[in-house]
Amino acid sequence: QVQLVESGGGLVQPGGSLRLSCAASGSIDSINTMGWYRQAPGKQRELVATIRNEGSTNYADSVKGRFTISRDNAKNTVYLQMNSLKPEDTAVYYCYGGSDYDPVDYWGKGALVTVSS
């Protein structure tokens, strides 16, 4: 079992920065990929960024060059550094964990990010 807890959401002005954190606990060795998804009002949940165990990353085109996903293995924490934020980045951001060998996906409860002046 894996638990994912997000933190760091909040209100930020356009052009500003925010860092989300996702603390993982439990059977984290089962996870090959962690990442962030987001869901804006009236839209489907979409991939933002992922990072695999070996460190490879993947980003949605809409956030490339602005967002950076990283991890701190000592703290069992994954981060999403969000720079140059735009109003369209406003969404609930969900931490994700998945395994190549297990169909079960793990999700955090979400952190609201609001980009507004």
Side-chain angles (χ1 to χ4, degrees):
Q1 303 298 311
V2 174
Q3 296 79 46
L4 304 174
V5 180
E6 303 99 334
S7 62
L11 174 65
V12 64
Q13 294 186 228
S17 297
L18 204 63
R19 188 179 73 164
L20 300 179
S21 299
C22 175
S25 61
S27 301
I28 58 176
D29 288 346
S30 67
I31 297 177
N32 303 109
T33 302
M34 295 192 68
W36 295 90
Y37 287 69
R38 68 186 181 187
Q39 187 166 22
K43 296 185 178 181
Q44 294 183 318
R45 187 175 299 188
E46 64 176 353
L47 170 72
V48 177
T50 60
I51 184 167
R52 290 183 60 82
N53 285 352
E54 76 275 13
S56 62
T57 58
N58 183 44
Y59 296 92
D61 288 341
S62 59
V63 306
K64 284 183 178 178
R66 299 189 298 120
F67 291 11
T68 302
I69 188 169
S70 62
R71 65 188 182 192
D72 185 337
N73 291 334
K75 297 181 178 180
N76 296 323
T77 300
V78 174
Y79 304 96
L80 184 68
Q81 178 66 46
M82 303 182 291
N83 298 326
S84 302
L85 283 161
K86 305 174 181 179
E88 52 263 44
D89 294 318
T90 296
V92 176
Y93 285 71
Y94 297 92
C95 185
Y96 164 83
S99 173
D100 292 346
Y101 317 109
D102 193 329
V104 177
D105 296 329
Y106 299 96
W107 295 94
K109 294 182 178 180
L112 177 62
V113 173
T114 302
V115 184
S116 176
S117 59

